[in-house]
Amino acid sequence: MIENVPGAQNVEEVLAHDPIYAVLGRRIAHPVVLGVLLFLIVVAVIVFGPSAESRFIYTDF
Amino acid sequence: MRVLGALGTAVLVMLLLLAGLDRAVAAWFPRFDRVSDNFSPAYLEREVEALAHDPPQTIFIGDSVLWGYKLPAADAAPTLLRRKGLAASNLSFEGGSPANTYAMLRLLESHGVHPRLVVFNVNQKEFSQADSAYQKLHPSLETLSWNLLTADERKLLTPTPPSTTQKPIEVQLDRWVTSFWQLYALRSDIREWLFGDVDAVHALDDAIQAASGAKARTDAAHKPTPDRFEGTYDLSPIDEQNVSLIFLEKTIALLARDHIPAIAILTPTNHTLLHEFIDVPEYEKNLAFTHKLLASGGVRVIDLDKAFKAAEFIDNDHLTAAGNQRLAGTLGPVLAQ
């Protein structure tokens, strides 16, 4: 028996009791979650990325 | 096959979300009190297109003085005038000059914008070849206006050199992506909006510098002293070959041709700081020359060259928040007419 999950004999049985895994484990959820993750990564790269397009030509004293 | 199907679904979900976000950005991205430090061609084009649909209003087209250098947008004179009810838009930016004013007017004209009034400033330092904007357009303005200029006009200008950090294929790819993806095209404006700086790293660095006191020490070390401005003002007579003069004349002609009322501000200048360089007859002659040129072309001139005290300046020509308040107070009654 694995600790905290009465009756569970292996990792799969433990995960089966986890509500998050229950969502992630659904066949349709995998690519959707991956798509959302990819979206967040793309947006984060654009928003938090370093500015390489400085147009500043004003010269201070 | 199953993996490929899953990947296809993931990419489709990502694209759908990006398309949705892009629609939201296009619809709701704000119009600022002034263009950002590092505004993109996409933002400027968006602003000009919006102005074409707005009722005619006063449009400020100036340099960093009217932009509100080193001040929050809320403290700049054009913003203060807007807060008092003036229907106005501030298209001034750091690095303005007569060439930039002319190019901006051509851009507005090409989009069918009919200003109620154009307010621009004429800064004597910009007639100097040493000025960084003497014959350079702001890169974003250049992107949008270059093809609107004649071949002769383009010959007078130095185009922005190609990027040294990007390969030609990257530049092409960048242009292609920019053409259909608003989030990407507006990235520099989005970063300034979110972080108040060119990007998150600079914003973090600024916060650390401010917290450690390093910023205060740097600012103290950069107090403007007269020697820093030696050579900023070219006192030789402004001649017909002067690029800024040529574009100022073109600006006057364009305003007259399009029947656009205009006010030119002779830029407030810190005569206390610059006394040894500009309190000479040559400076006065050049100032009088531009004044006469503008007035004879039908542009109303407000001469503020000596109208401000040294305490109202940050440096040679940029006004403090109090200086901007007084500038707004001076312009308000004139613009309300």
Side-chain angles (χ1 to χ4, degrees), chain B residues 176-193:
Chain B
W176 179 67
V177 175
T178 299
S179 69
F180 63 85
W181 192 8
Q182 281 285 293
L183 180 76
Y184 184 76
L186 291 167
R187 63 196 183 284
S188 58
D189 312 279
I190 291 171
R191 287 172 189 150
E192 290 234 4
W193 180 48

Side-chain angles (χ1 to χ4, degrees), chain A residues 46 51 53 55 58 60-61, chain B residues 38 69 140 191 199 222 318:
Chain A
I46 290 173
S51 174
E53 58 280 337
R55 301 167 199 286
Y58 183 78
D60 197 2
F61 55 85
Chain B
N38 209 20
Y69 175 73
S140 295
R191 287 172 189 150
D199 56 31
H222 278 79
H318 301 110

